[in-house]
Amino acid sequence: MEKVEIDQALENDFVATFIRELIPGILHNFANPLNGIMGRSKLLQRRIDDHVRKLEELYPEASLNLKNDLLKIQSDIRSVANESESFFEMFRDVSGKFYALAAKGEDNINLSQLLNAEMRFANFYLDFKHEVRKEVDLDQDIPEFRGKTADLSMAFWRLIRFAMNQALASDNRQFSLTTSHDADCVNVTIRYSGVAMPEEAISDTLEFLDGGINGMRTFSVDHGVVLALVVLNRYSARVMIDAEAQENLLSISLPYQGRGKRNELKFK
């Protein structure tokens, strides 16, 4: 066995344990000191403010002489507290993603909440965070439906990632994500700038999703996108792809009542 094969085999073994075994332990070990830092920073902020007030009441002259120093101390403590809150928010975004991937069984899914978490996680792709103009409009009253969080998290991450890369490669660099619902379905619409996907390839993909092509064959559409749509197809999803010169639309409707509708392809 060659050295490269040995190294690759060991790497694969490590990766295989990463999401379900290592990440939960890593996040747990990070959470304890982080909670301690947050709690102590808030407590310290309250204590400093109390001591400054007491000093002003008991020793007004000394307080006046120390005013600039005391204000700087208070400002520094507030900064520590704010930064610890910010770090906790980022930690929650990361932990939420990996807990979602490790989730087993079915849950009641609120698609707006799931996609809000996915977009927060997407900000860790720094080019996407800083270089792409983003619009996110999520329906807060969207109905829940039964599904596997891990499946939907991975599938929508892959579609967002695809749209993100297409937007980054375009001149306009625009991306939007909206959710809505009607009497039968919860709907997700992703719009992004970039080169339109080839009509023939998309037709083949949608035909495959509808069971019209036996077996997986080579698609010119991103392979990961096809796999994500296959996962969503388990939920009787309706997929509509609408392509224009400088904007692409990917619309997915997941039935929470009744049956899904047939996939559609539109080119303008």
Side-chain angles (χ1 to χ4, degrees):
M1 195 173 187
E2 296 292 334
K3 179 180 182 299
V4 173
E5 294 176 322
I6 293 173
D7 292 345
Q8 187 62 54
L10 290 174
E11 181 179 334
N12 291 341
D13 283 345
F14 174 78
V15 171
T17 68
F18 199 70
I19 291 177
R20 286 185 171 81
E21 297 180 33
L22 282 174
I23 283 293
I26 291 171
L27 295 175
H28 175 78
N29 290 338
F30 281 168
N32 287 336
L34 177 57
N35 286 330
I37 291 170
M38 290 181 61
R40 289 294 179 179
S41 65
K42 291 178 180 178
L43 180 61
L44 183 58
Q45 184 177 0
R46 287 196 298 269
R47 285 178 175 173
I48 288 292
D49 290 341
D50 287 343
H51 286 315
V52 169
R53 281 193 296 271
K54 290 178 181 179
L55 184 61
E56 290 172 345
E57 293 172 0
L58 298 175
Y59 307 102
E61 186 176 346
S63 174
L64 186 61
N65 292 332
L66 295 172
K67 182 177 180 179
N68 290 336
D69 291 333
L70 293 174
L71 288 175
K72 188 176 187 308
I73 291 172
Q74 287 178 299
S75 177
D76 289 343
I77 293 299
R78 281 194 297 271
S79 294
V80 171
N82 290 337
E83 291 297 333
S84 65
E85 288 278 0
S86 177
F87 185 74
F88 176 75
E89 291 296 323
M90 290 188 289
F91 173 80
R92 189 180 64 179
D93 295 339
V94 173
S95 61
K97 176 64 177 178
F98 283 104
Y99 285 141
L101 293 179
K104 297 179 180 179
E106 290 191 343
D107 294 300
N108 291 326
I109 304 292
N110 182 306
L111 206 53
S112 289
Q113 291 179 2
L114 185 145
L115 289 171
N116 182 54
E118 291 301 322
M119 288 303 298
R120 291 172 66 90
F121 184 78
N123 279 329
F124 289 104
Y125 296 100
L126 295 183
D127 286 345
F128 183 59
K129 179 179 181 179
H130 296 295
E131 302 296 333
V132 174
R133 291 186 293 277
K134 296 174 285 293
E135 294 182 7
V136 179
D137 184 12
L138 302 178
D139 180 0
Q140 300 303 317
D141 298 319
I142 203 165
E144 295 183 341
F145 65 96
R146 294 292 293 177
K148 292 185 177 181
T149 301
D151 286 352
L152 294 171
S153 177
M154 186 62 77
F156 279 109
W157 164 80
R158 191 61 186 83
L159 297 179
I160 291 170
R161 174 72 171 156
F162 171 76
M164 173 200 316
N165 287 338
Q166 295 295 103
L168 281 167
S170 71
D171 294 330
N172 294 334
R173 294 192 170 187
Q174 295 187 26
F175 172 97
S176 75
L177 172 69
T178 61
T179 59
S180 62
H181 72 280
D182 53 36
D184 298 309
C185 297
V186 292
N187 309 303
V188 180
T189 302
I190 301 173
R191 296 179 182 271
Y192 56 94
S193 58
V195 177
M197 290 183 282
E199 180 175 358
E200 182 179 358
I202 299 173
S203 297
D204 283 351
T205 303
L206 296 183
E207 186 179 351
F208 171 78
L209 294 176
D210 284 333
I213 300 177
N214 294 323
M216 180 72 76
R217 68 186 192 184
T218 302
F219 297 96
S220 57
V221 175
D222 186 290
H223 188 68
V225 171
V226 175
L227 296 180
L229 295 178
V230 168
V231 170
L232 295 175
N233 214 36
R234 299 171 188 167
Y235 297 86
S236 301
R238 173 198 175 194
V239 178
M240 185 182 79
I241 300 174
D242 189 351
E244 296 183 359
Q246 295 298 321
E247 183 181 68
N248 298 282
L249 178 146
L250 177 59
S251 177
I252 298 162
S253 297
L254 299 168
Y256 66 94
Q257 293 184 18
R259 300 177 61 183
K261 299 178 181 179
R262 184 174 176 83
N263 299 320
E264 294 183 22
L265 166 66
K266 293 182 180 180
F267 275 84
K268 295 180 181 178

